[in-house]
């Protein structure tokens, strides 16, 4: 089936647009800056994870600089997630020390993909924070999608969800520092699986990253046909990010039914573009979104998948294939992508 409303008459087109607006009203998505989310005070709950990349502590550093005279105020609101792997890395140990100094009120150690465990942890945090429908700030810079997307399910319990992502600095890291990937387990993200619609044709929507090899392997594993939509970040995390992505995925882009780019910094705009694609085939296709990266665009895809029962968000596990053994250490470039989500009752 074509991507678009089945009928092009003015009445159907108007109804199609009205339906799109109604669905967008379920979730209010706003780009905000750091000062906005700190007004009039810190959010009641702050969730953050300590990874092996230095950028995972950037937001905590920004908050600490603003609350230098009352550093414990952050700790009273902080739910710290640490990881059971990569504990031997000096960068990881330094990140852990930074979080320890903040004296977090809640703590949890997980493996990379224990989303259900994180979801249960967040339920406990929200219930015990002492505020009804608190604002929850989530720094997902060091989290896998299974972890930070699990928080979408608590949106009806909180006043607002605020996602913050620290953009990396790549001027000291070349593309060759990233391992070429091999495909591991492919799973649906809990809560974002949608309904099976087994008799519908599949439309695959791939969010492209630097790893063209991994995407090709995913296509083979999923037995994807010719019905493919692709999108990527432009502008991306650094000046040449978009060209790296396009060069490494050129053949797939040329064969795609639809190919488009979205701004890495604009989660709301990316969600609207993806929502347009999904709504065009709402009554005809089963949509599977397979986002490889980057994280703000994965969040945009999740916002869409959470609202449509014919959409599934897949989490492909891409593991290093041994081309490079060293993990790239990404520092913060000083920019944050902050997105405020509010779920309406409509």
């Amino acid at each position: 089936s074509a991507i678009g409303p089945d009928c092009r008459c003015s009445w159907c087109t108007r109804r199609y647009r009205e339906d799109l607006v109604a669905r967008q009203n379920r979730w209010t998505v706003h780009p905000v800056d750091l000062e906005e989310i700190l007004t009039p005070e810190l959010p009641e709950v702050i969730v953050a994870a300590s990874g092996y990349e230095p950028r995972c502590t950037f937001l905590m550093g920004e908050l600490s600089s603003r609350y230098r005279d009352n550093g414990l105020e952050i700790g009273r609101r902080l739910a710290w997630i640490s990881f059971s792997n990569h504990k031997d890395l000096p960068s990881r140990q330094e990140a852990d020390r930074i979080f320890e100094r903040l004296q977090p009120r809640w703590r949890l150690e997980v493996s990379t993909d224990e989303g259900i465990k994180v979801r249960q942890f967040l339920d406990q945090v929200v219930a015990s924070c002492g505020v009804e429908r608190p604002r929850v700030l989530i720094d997902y810079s060091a989290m896998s999608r299974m972890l930070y997307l699990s928080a979408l399910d608590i949106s009806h319990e909180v006043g607002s969800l605020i996602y913050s992502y620290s953009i990396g600095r790549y001027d000291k890291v070349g593309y060759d520092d990233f391992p070429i990937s091999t495909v591991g387990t492919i799973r649906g993200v809990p809560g974002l699986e949608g309904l099976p619609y087994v008799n519908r044709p599949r439309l695959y929507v791939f969010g492209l990253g630097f790893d063209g090899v991994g995407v090709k392997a995913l296509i083979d594993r999923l037995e994807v046909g010719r019905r493919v939509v692709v999108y990527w970040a432009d502008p991306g995390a650094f000046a040449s990010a978009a060209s790296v992505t396009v060069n490494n995925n050129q053949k797939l882009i040329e064969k795609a039914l639809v190919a488009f780019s979205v701004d890495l910094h604009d989660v709301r705009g990316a969600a609207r573009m993806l929502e347009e694609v999904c709504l065009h085939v709402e009554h005809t296709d089963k949509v599977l979104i397979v986002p490889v990266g980057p994280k703000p665009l994965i969040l945009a895809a999740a916002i869409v998948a959470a609202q449509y029962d014919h959409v599934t968000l897949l989490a492909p596990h891409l593991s290093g294939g041994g081309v490079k053994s060293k993990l790239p250490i990404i520092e913060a470039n000083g920019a944050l992508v902050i997105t405020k989500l509010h779920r309406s009752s409509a």
Side-chain angles (χ1 to χ4, degrees):
S1 61
I3 296 179
D6 295 331
C7 179
R8 298 284 181 173
C9 73
S10 60
W11 186 86
C12 287
T13 301
R14 184 174 67 254
R15 286 293 303 274
Y16 164 78
R17 292 297 174 184
E18 289 172 352
D19 191 27
L20 175 62
V21 171
R23 288 184 181 278
Q24 287 175 338
N25 287 339
R26 288 187 190 174
W27 289 74
T28 303
V29 184
H30 290 296
V32 293
D33 60 32
L34 187 58
E35 299 305 326
E36 287 181 78
I37 65 174
L38 299 182
T39 303
E41 60 179 354
L42 279 166
E44 289 77 23
V45 175
I46 302 170
V47 184
S50 55
Y52 63 84
E53 295 181 347
R55 63 170 159 173
C56 73
T57 61
F58 177 75
L59 178 62
M60 293 301 103
E62 292 294 295
L63 296 180
S64 297
S65 68
R66 287 164 170 76
Y67 292 86
R68 192 176 304 277
D69 296 332
N70 192 11
L72 291 180
E73 188 65 24
I74 299 172
R76 294 190 189 103
R77 302 162 189 252
L78 180 59
W80 173 33
I81 299 172
S82 60
F83 298 105
S84 56
N85 57 345
H86 300 311
K87 287 186 174 183
D88 58 329
L89 292 176
S91 59
R92 165 65 193 281
Q93 294 169 359
E94 175 59 25
D96 286 351
R97 284 193 290 269
I98 290 172
F99 279 96
E100 287 280 7
R101 286 197 291 268
L102 292 171
Q103 300 181 40
R105 179 176 175 183
W106 302 277
R107 302 181 184 215
L108 177 70
E109 182 176 278
V110 297
S111 67
T112 306
D113 291 330
E114 292 185 287
I116 295 177
K117 189 174 180 179
V118 168
R119 171 68 173 83
Q120 294 170 343
F121 173 64
L122 293 178
D123 275 339
Q124 296 170 3
V125 169
V126 170
S128 61
C129 73
V131 177
E132 185 177 357
R133 298 185 64 80
R135 292 181 301 150
V136 179
L137 170 60
I138 300 173
D139 182 0
Y140 63 112
S141 304
M143 297 186 194
S144 74
R145 71 195 69 191
M146 285 296 193
L147 303 189
Y148 65 86
L149 296 183
S150 66
L152 287 173
D153 201 34
I154 68 167
S155 58
H156 62 282
E157 302 171 14
V158 302
S160 60
L161 278 175
I162 306 163
Y163 279 91
S164 177
Y165 176 74
S166 177
I167 296 179
R169 179 180 175 182
Y170 291 84
D171 56 332
K172 297 180 181 179
V173 180
Y175 176 71
D176 287 341
D177 288 312
F178 290 88
I180 291 177
S181 296
T182 55
V183 179
T185 304
I186 304 172
R187 295 181 290 171
V189 177
L192 302 176
E193 302 97 333
L195 298 177
Y197 288 106
V198 293
N199 294 322
R200 290 187 178 188
R202 266 43 181 165
L203 177 69
Y204 285 89
V205 182
F206 283 89
L208 304 179
F210 300 149
D211 184 8
V213 174
V215 171
K216 291 176 183 176
L218 282 171
I219 289 174
D220 289 341
R221 176 71 68 84
L222 293 167
E223 299 182 351
V224 175
R226 299 180 61 86
R227 306 187 69 256
V228 175
V229 173
V230 298
Y231 65 97
W232 63 94
D234 187 8
F238 54 97
S240 60
S243 62
V244 171
T245 299
V246 171
N247 288 340
N248 289 314
N249 297 276
Q250 188 66 51
K251 290 183 178 180
L252 178 59
I253 292 172
E254 291 173 353
K255 293 179 180 179
L257 290 174
V258 177
F260 59 92
S261 63
V262 290
D263 189 340
L264 171 66
H265 308 81
D266 185 9
V267 172
R268 178 172 62 180
R272 285 176 174 172
M273 291 289 288
L274 290 169
E275 191 167 26
E276 287 267 9
V277 171
C278 294
L279 189 55
H280 278 311
V281 296
E282 181 179 16
H283 302 296
T284 58
D285 293 52
K286 171 65 181 180
V287 179
L288 296 104
I289 304 179
V290 191
V292 175
K295 287 181 180 179
L297 300 191
I298 296 174
L299 175 61
I303 292 169
V304 176
Q307 299 179 79
Y308 290 86
D309 64 13
H310 72 296
V311 179
T312 293
L313 184 69
L314 295 181
H317 179 69
L318 300 180
S319 57
V323 174
K324 291 286 183 179
S325 59
K326 181 180 178 182
L327 292 170
I329 303 301
I330 309 298
E331 299 177 353
N333 77 353
L336 293 168
V337 179
I338 306 178
T339 308
K340 182 179 180 181
L341 307 179
H342 173 73
R343 190 169 188 172
S344 67
S345 57

